[in-house]
Structures are given as structure tokens and as C-alpha cells.
Amino acid sequence: MKIPAEVLMEKYKDNIDEDGSIWLYYQSHKVDITEYLSESRNCKLAINDNGTVTYFDIESNGSGGYSLSASDSPEGSAEDYTIVG
């Protein structure tokens, strides 16, 4: 099930600190995702929260911002996602 963008913006947010660190906040998790975005500026991450896995696809818009989508099922293969948090 895909989560609508407006719900994502309320429930999840990515934050770029002054030092350039990029953080993903989800439920009680705060994950530094800077290293995952450093090479390709796009990444596939998964967070296991009490046995429920949420899959995040994060893409650079090329202007310093990012788009974020989340789903309870992977886009493609689950092996393409790095589990964080």
C-alpha cells in the first residue's frame, strides 16, 4: 500500500542539518541517511519498527531537496533496500 504524499509530509520528514547531514524521522526512529545519499543522491531504505517493515524510496530533485515515498511493500525486490534504524 502506497502512502499519499500529503500523509508522508505530516508523518515523515527528511531534514538537512546545517552541517549537511540528512536525517529521516519515522515513528521513534531518527536515522542519519547522509552516507546512503552521498554517492547516487537516491536510496532505498527500510525501517523495521516492532516487526513491521516500512520501505522508503528517497530521490534527489537535483536542487538540494528530496522526494520521499514509503510503502509497506518494497518497490521491486526487498533485497534492494538497506535496513536502517
Side-chain angles (χ1 to χ4, degrees), residues 23-40:
W23 295 87
L24 174 67
Y25 297 87
Y26 173 72
Q27 307 291 25
S28 63
H29 302 273
K30 178 181 177 184
V31 182
D32 182 351
I33 62 172
T34 310
E35 69 179 273
Y36 302 105
L37 290 168
S38 64
E39 290 183 20
S40 69

Side-chain angles (χ1 to χ4, degrees), residues 2 44 55-57 71-81:
K2 289 277 187 182
K44 293 179 173 286
Y55 298 91
F56 295 89
D57 291 285
S71 178
D72 58 0
S73 60
E75 178 101 11
S77 173
E79 287 79 33
D80 293 338
Y81 290 78

Side-chain angles (χ1 to χ4, degrees), residues 12-77:
Y12 318 109
K13 63 180 183 254
D14 60 311
N15 184 33
I16 302 173
D17 284 344
E18 289 180 14
D19 69 356
S21 297
I22 303 167
W23 295 87
L24 174 67
Y25 297 87
Y26 173 72
Q27 307 291 25
S28 63
H29 302 273
K30 178 181 177 184
V31 182
D32 182 351
I33 62 172
T34 310
E35 69 179 273
Y36 302 105
L37 290 168
S38 64
E39 290 183 20
S40 69
R41 306 305 292 175
N42 299 313
C43 65
K44 293 179 173 286
L45 303 174
I47 293 179
N48 186 336
D49 187 54
N50 295 320
T52 301
V53 178
T54 303
Y55 298 91
F56 295 89
D57 291 285
I58 304 167
E59 297 181 9
S60 170
N61 67 8
S63 301
Y66 294 89
S67 65
L68 171 72
S69 64
S71 178
D72 58 0
S73 60
E75 178 101 11
S77 173

